[in-house]
Amino acid sequence: MTEQSRAKEAPLDEGLALLEEQRLAMLARDAERLDEVNARLSAWIAACRHVARNVDPTARLLPLRVALDANAALARRSALQASRALGALLGPDARLYTEEGLTPAPAPRREARSA
């Protein structure tokens, strides 16, 4: 392995470690740790934008993509659970947002021949 390929892999390995740390913080429901990891992950992404253009986007980036997709799915599930818990506390009359950011408003009714 050449020095140049090691230099390219180091930032990718760091990103993979940060994504794993983010996943663990989400699973532990540790908000402070998650905020800290998210800040470090954002800084890593900003620092690596120029490196990503020079890296072969096939095999080396696949583990990052898989980890990122897994963390995104976990975040969506956590948000949905929190929304359901809030709905249980507030009752059925409360207008809550769905995962897509929409409120479950009833569809407007029109007469059959109004169009």
Side-chain angles (χ1 to χ4, degrees):
M1 183 178 285
T2 67
E3 285 298 317
Q4 186 179 12
S5 64
R6 280 192 199 114
K8 288 180 183 177
E9 288 180 12
L12 297 178
D13 291 341
E14 181 183 350
L16 198 54
L18 285 169
L19 287 170
E20 176 65 15
E21 193 174 341
Q22 181 188 46
R23 186 182 68 79
L24 293 174
M26 283 191 285
L27 289 173
R29 297 177 189 238
D30 186 347
E32 289 179 18
R33 186 171 140 208
L34 185 58
D35 284 343
E36 185 263 329
V37 171
N38 285 343
R40 288 183 14 225
L41 189 58
S42 293
W44 175 79
I45 290 169
C48 288
R49 287 190 182 181
H50 68 282
V51 174
R53 293 184 194 122
N54 301 326
V55 174
D56 179 23
T58 55
R60 279 301 293 155
L61 294 180
L62 185 62
L64 284 173
R65 180 61 190 219
V66 169
L68 187 60
D69 288 346
N71 286 3
L74 182 60
R76 282 191 301 275
R77 283 195 305 264
S78 295
L80 185 58
Q81 287 175 345
S83 178
R84 286 182 184 152
L86 185 60
L89 289 173
L90 298 178
D93 293 334
R95 295 178 58 104
L96 300 176
Y97 289 100
T98 64
E99 320 184 285
E100 292 83 23
L102 306 172
T103 58
R109 305 249 178 213
R110 297 187 308 185
E111 291 185 27
R113 299 178 192 264
S114 66

